[in-house]
């Protein structure tokens, strides 16, 4: 007998596919994960997987599987969602469930350069080899200041605080304090990158990496396509407003120069360019 996952032998499913070469970056919202992941991917020629870009895909998968919290979240209007009790907020975030989905996504990536996987749901329960992972953990004072800067609604603020506590507890339970980079108010992105790279040095050295400018451009285009798909999926929700042609989206420069950190904001409907040419900052 066979299933969608492959043949079943003696009533047992085959083992999951192996992971391609990966490094993992976890931590709560506002820790600097995306900044670090982009810096590594662009400078070294790596593939980038940002879990935020799969948010709506993951929610649809959870809902299709009958997950009660996913179904409830979709049924509520935004005001009701964010006024839910803390335990329900955390459950409806699908924080625990999305880790397994990320692992499935990464296994399905296939051959390619070393992949930098980043996201809040990247917890020790997701990562098969902690030696290839780091967690960026903001100090309490930094998290307070960053959340205040964002002017978040009370419910979102509560959820982000819960996520910090949840991730810290999981890291401690797995004995992985040595894989943590603590981000303090006086730390620069360069400081964080240096500390993270020291912990990931072996995995980063193993590669593989994109060798040519064309390969780097293809990676950056795939990165931008994922971001654009995230925006389109959000705007397709019945409770959202906004025009998918004119909504602004911030994308990364596709010039593929390793030191380029430029970001470009353009109407969502203008991507990808009709000419097929790479997005360039110059």
């Amino acid at each position: 007998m066979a299933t969608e996952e492959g043949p079943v032998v003696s009533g047992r499913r085959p083992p999951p596919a192996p992971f391609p070469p990966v490094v993992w970056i976890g931590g709560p919202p506002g820790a600097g994960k995306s900044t670090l992941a982009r810096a590594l991917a662009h400078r070294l020629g790596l593939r980038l997987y940002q879990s935020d870009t799969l948010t709506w895909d993951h929610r649809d998968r959870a809902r299709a599987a009958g997950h009660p919290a996913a179904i409830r979240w979709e049924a509520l209007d935004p005001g009701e969602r964010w006024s839910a009790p803390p335990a329900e907020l955390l459950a409806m975030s699908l924080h625990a469930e999305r880790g397994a989905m990320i692992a499935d996504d990464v296994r399905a990536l296939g051959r390619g350069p070393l992949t930098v996987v980043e996201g809040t749901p990247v917890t020790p329960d997701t990562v098969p080899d902690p030696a290839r992972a780091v967690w960026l953990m903001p100090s309490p004072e930094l998290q307070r200041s960053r959340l205040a800067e964002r002017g978040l609604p009370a419910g979102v603020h509560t959820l982000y605080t819960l996520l910090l506590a949840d991730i810290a507890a999981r890291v401690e339970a797995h004995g992985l304090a040595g894989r943590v980079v603590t981000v303090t108010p006086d730390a620069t992105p360069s400081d964080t990158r240096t500390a993270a790279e020291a912990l990931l040095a072996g995995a980063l050295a193993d590669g593989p990496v994109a060798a040519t400018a064309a390969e780097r451009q293809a990676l950056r285009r795939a990165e931008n396509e994922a971001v654009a798909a995230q925006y389109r999926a959000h705007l397709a929700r019945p409770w959202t407003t906004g025009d998918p042609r004119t909504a602004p989206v911030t994308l990364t420069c596709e010039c593929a120069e390793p030191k380029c950190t430029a970001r470009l904001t353009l109407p969502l409907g203008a991507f990808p360019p009709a000419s097929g040419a790479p997005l360039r900052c110059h």
Side-chain angles (χ1 to χ4, degrees), residues 186-202:
D186 59 344
T188 67
S190 178
D191 295 332
T192 302
R193 185 174 67 249
T194 298
E197 283 195 66
L199 291 174
L200 297 172

Side-chain angles (χ1 to χ4, degrees), residues 55-76 81 94 97 101 233 236-239:
T55 295
W56 306 109
D57 177 76
H58 290 169
R59 286 201 166 276
D60 286 342
R61 282 152 62 178
R63 195 166 44 148
H67 193 287
I71 294 170
R72 174 162 170 73
W73 190 92
E74 238 14 278
L76 297 174
R81 288 174 194 151
L94 304 182
E97 293 75 15
M101 296 184 196
R237 255 42 191 189
W239 37 263

